[in-house]
Amino acid sequence: MFDQLVPAPLADAAEAHLKQAGVARGHVVAWLGHNSWDMIATLVACQRLGAVLLPLNWRLAAAELGAITRHAQAAHLLGTPELESLALEVLRQGPLHAGPAEGMQPGDLLLVYTSGTTGQPKGALHTAAGMQANAVAAIAAQHLTARDRVLSVLPLFHVGGLCIQTLPALVVGAKVSLLPRFEPGAWFDAVEQWKPTTTLLVPAVMKALTDHPRWASANLSSLAYVNSGSQIVPRALIDAFHARGVPVAQVYGSTE
């Protein structure tokens, strides 16, 4: 199912790149980058090669990222060019693991670390089959179809940004627009020009939008609804979207 997420040439190029880097079955491939199609293609390539993708939270300090890569036994660190300096700092924290990570099983595909609210961040390992089942459930819950247009702005290093709408939309054949990272002006531009039918926003992002000077006059007519979650969604934010004619649904993306 996931082999169809990106065009074949992009997936083939990502697979060739991983092979050239020495990625093999059971290897953990850390990824440090803003939202990009290269990351989605790398996920597909990891599935093809039997490797596991470890998306890293670029908001963390280099020391924190180094601790995660060592704990995960990451054998490779890839990403997007704008975060190359941070990646080099991570590599200075200690050597990457040599060879496959301990305990990896066939079908393991995604390793996502929790926020560590009760201690050090903990890795949650997801199988391709589990992610595919989640995509099927998310498609049904959101009534996603190939006619939808999904604007993806949340960071793909969280399961919320990656697994609630982005992957399910691609699985069902919907169009997806990836913003590298959230910025209110870019969001308004995308909604008015690209005309998405839905998007996923956390409360902090909703507040940034409702506080923005463009909020009152922006054309939001293409949005059939938005999803929100990750914490309690304040009633005032829900009311603000309702006042603009945009229904709000609530979801929760559990890392585990």
Side-chain angles (χ1 to χ4, degrees):
M1 183 185 291
F2 287 162
D3 201 40
Q4 306 301 319
L5 294 181
V6 295
L10 184 58
D12 292 343
E15 182 181 5
H17 182 66
L18 293 191
K19 286 181 177 178
Q20 186 176 25
V23 175
R25 183 171 299 278
H27 283 199
V28 172
V29 179
W31 181 272
L32 184 61
H34 294 143
N35 294 351
S36 71
W37 289 107
D38 285 340
M39 177 184 164
I40 304 294
T42 300
L43 176 68
V44 173
C46 282
Q47 183 179 21
R48 290 181 177 183
L49 297 175
V52 174
L53 182 67
L54 167 65
L56 295 173
N57 183 343
W58 41 260
R59 295 192 179 109
L60 298 180
E64 295 172 304
L65 294 171
I68 289 174
T69 56
R70 290 192 299 273
H71 184 266
Q73 298 183 348
H76 311 270
L77 177 58
L78 305 175
T80 49
E82 71 278 2
L83 292 178
E84 183 178 0
S85 60
L86 179 57
L88 291 174
E89 291 183 46
V90 173
L91 292 174
R92 293 189 190 102
Q93 303 300 311
L96 294 173
H97 183 73
E102 296 177 10
M104 293 299 170
Q105 301 295 320
D108 292 338
L109 180 57
L110 183 70
L111 181 57
V112 187
Y113 272 70
T114 68
S115 58
T117 52
T118 59
Q120 295 300 314
K122 304 170 183 67
L125 186 60
H126 297 266
T127 64
M131 293 172 66
Q132 289 166 357
N134 174 81
V136 171
I139 290 166
Q142 298 173 82
H143 304 287
L144 291 173
T145 73
R147 295 185 297 276
D148 278 302
R149 299 167 68 86
V150 173
L151 177 61
S152 185
V153 299
L154 298 186
L156 299 181
F157 57 68
H158 283 318
V159 294
L162 182 63
C163 299
I164 291 178
Q165 279 190 340
T166 306
L167 291 185
L170 292 172
V171 166
V172 82
K175 291 182 172 61
V176 174
S177 177
L178 281 180
L179 294 188
R181 56 188 300 182
F182 172 73
E183 192 280 317
W187 188 88
F188 284 115
D189 288 343
V191 170
E192 293 184 336
Q193 297 169 17
W194 193 67
K195 301 189 182 306
T197 57
T198 187
T199 187
L200 174 62
L201 312 170
V202 295
V205 168
M206 295 172 71
K207 189 173 190 314
L209 293 172
T210 58
D211 287 347
H212 197 274
R214 292 176 64 177
W215 174 252
S217 60
N219 183 356
L220 309 179
S221 60
S222 68
L223 291 170
Y225 69 96
V226 301
N227 271 326
S228 186
S230 83
Q231 64 182 76
I232 294 173
V233 185
R235 179 61 183 267
L237 292 176
I238 296 174
D239 289 343
F241 273 75
H242 284 184
R244 292 299 328 274
V246 182
V248 178
Q250 296 189 50
V251 296
Y252 188 81
S254 174
T255 305
E256 296 84 1

